[in-house]
Amino acid sequence: MKQVFVIGGAALDITGFPKDICRLRDSNLGSVRIAVGGVGRNVASHLVPYGPEVQLVTAIGNDFRASVIEADCQRHGVRLDHTLHVDLPSATFLCVLDEDGDLLSGISDMEIMDCLSPDFFAQLLPEINRCDLCVIDSNLTPEALDFLTHSVSAPLFYEPVSCAKARRIGGNIGLFHTVKPNRFEAAQLSGCSCDTIRGVYRAAEWFLRQGVQQVFISLGSDGIVYANPDVCGHIEAEKVEVRNTAGAGDVMSAAIINAMLDGLGIAECAAFGNQKSGAYCAAARATGVSAF
């Protein structure tokens, strides 16, 4: 059995959906949904059904939110053998959507992730280095990211999480075997405009020049661009009726990782990730799956 370590965020998402126009500074009729999210958790939970053993390394508190996160991971078959428990509030993402389903405002409380220090990871290195792939998201501190990229010998897969957090990796991006940003995160990291496919190719080339061996840049409704030193290409998005896109990037990442573990080529990995992401967008109902 293949083993994957996923190091990153697990959070409780609280999402408000207004029934009509959302008025600021007022109480609005609508619905509130609670779900477990976080990029690390999302990738881990979508990866388990493909068959590998998945260890999620994150930080959670000793509160009711932690019990919800733990129960969710147990239900999805995600192992938490090495997760850190501390006396801080578990990570939470609180948001309100507007009448069109777009984010109106949100608060991301991820302070607990700062407890995942280089000293903590140093104790886990023997375990991490025995895995087949290590997925890292940028909910970690720059210091933790620096330590992991220089210390982990297993192939590394980078999930930038968001534009605000993507650059925490600093000059260490080239130490990753594979990166999977979206077009906005790719622009933040590379300094290349990704408004066009040509610009996305330039960003992919930048990653390769840094030392990355495989690049997948998700483009939402425009599909995915992939590149390695020998080949590059663009795959159009699946033609589906989109019901919800929240969490689709994490579904794509899990599918790409599974294809990589199966030894498929980069174009096949991209196609599989693109297909699974499209199917998810068509089937998913609106939930509070966070991008943090």
Side-chain angles (χ1 to χ4, degrees):
M1 178 184 290
K2 301 286 188 180
Q3 184 185 56
V4 179
F5 267 70
V6 181
I7 303 175
L12 191 67
D13 293 343
I14 305 171
T15 308
F17 302 83
K19 291 184 70 173
D20 205 338
I21 294 175
C22 191
R23 301 183 185 280
L24 298 177
R25 303 181 187 279
D26 197 2
S27 178
N28 293 269
L29 296 177
S31 59
V32 175
R33 292 179 183 151
I34 298 176
V36 177
V39 167
R41 172 269 170 196
N42 293 345
V43 172
S45 64
H46 289 299
L47 184 56
V48 168
Y50 292 115
E53 177 189 296
V54 181
Q55 290 280 358
L56 175 61
V57 180
T58 190
I60 56 177
N62 294 312
D63 50 16
F64 82 94
R65 287 176 277 189
S67 63
V68 174
I69 293 169
E70 288 177 307
D72 172 87
C73 288
Q74 182 177 21
R75 185 167 60 252
H76 285 91
V78 176
R79 300 189 63 165
L80 296 172
D81 297 357
H82 308 290
T83 282
L84 179 66
H85 292 76
V86 295
D87 287 322
L88 284 174
S90 297
T92 305
F93 180 59
L94 171 67
C95 71
V96 175
L97 306 184
D98 65 17
E99 59 276 9
D100 297 319
D102 292 325
L103 181 66
L104 185 64
S105 185
I107 297 175
S108 175
D109 179 2
M110 304 291 287
E111 181 184 359
I112 194 170
M113 295 299 296
D114 294 350
C115 296
L116 296 173
S117 65
D119 288 342
F120 170 76
F121 287 119
Q123 302 172 55
L124 289 183
L125 274 181
E127 295 287 340
I128 297 172
N129 286 335
R130 281 195 288 268
C131 75
D132 296 281
L133 185 71
C134 180
V135 182
I136 298 175
D137 83 26
S138 59
N139 280 304
L140 306 178
T141 64
E143 293 77 19
L145 290 167
D146 182 75
F147 176 81
L148 288 168
T149 51
H150 285 91
S151 304
V152 174
S153 59
L156 295 174
F157 184 106
Y158 187 49
E159 264 288 349
V161 175
S162 68
C163 289
K165 296 179 179 179
R167 300 187 73 157
R168 290 181 178 180
I169 197 61
N172 296 323
I173 192 70
L175 298 175
F176 285 90
H177 177 278
T178 302
V179 299
K180 202 235 78 187
N182 63 31
R183 70 193 316 162
F184 307 108
E185 295 157 355
Q188 279 285 324
L189 287 163
S190 68
C192 301
S193 172
C194 291
D195 293 340
T196 64
I197 298 298
R198 183 182 295 273
V200 175
Y201 276 125
R202 283 196 292 268
E205 183 182 9
W206 179 88
F207 285 109
L208 295 176
R209 288 200 306 269
Q210 308 313 303
V212 176
Q213 297 179 48
Q214 286 192 139
V215 182
F216 299 94
I217 302 178
S218 57
L219 310 176
S221 60
D222 291 327
I224 185 171
V225 162
Y226 61 89
N228 67 20
D230 300 317
V231 66
C232 63
H234 172 219
I235 300 174
E236 297 282 351
E238 297 281 315
K239 303 300 181 184
V240 297
E241 181 182 353
V242 175
R243 298 183 63 191
N244 180 33
T245 61
D250 303 330
V251 171
M252 177 180 284
S253 293
I256 289 171
I257 291 165
N258 173 68
M260 289 171 57
L261 293 173
D262 284 347
L264 300 185
I266 188 171
E268 295 170 296
C269 291
F272 188 62
N274 194 53
Q275 187 268 322
K276 289 297 183 180
S277 177
Y280 174 84
C281 289
R285 63 184 177 87
T287 60
V289 180
S290 79
F292 294 92

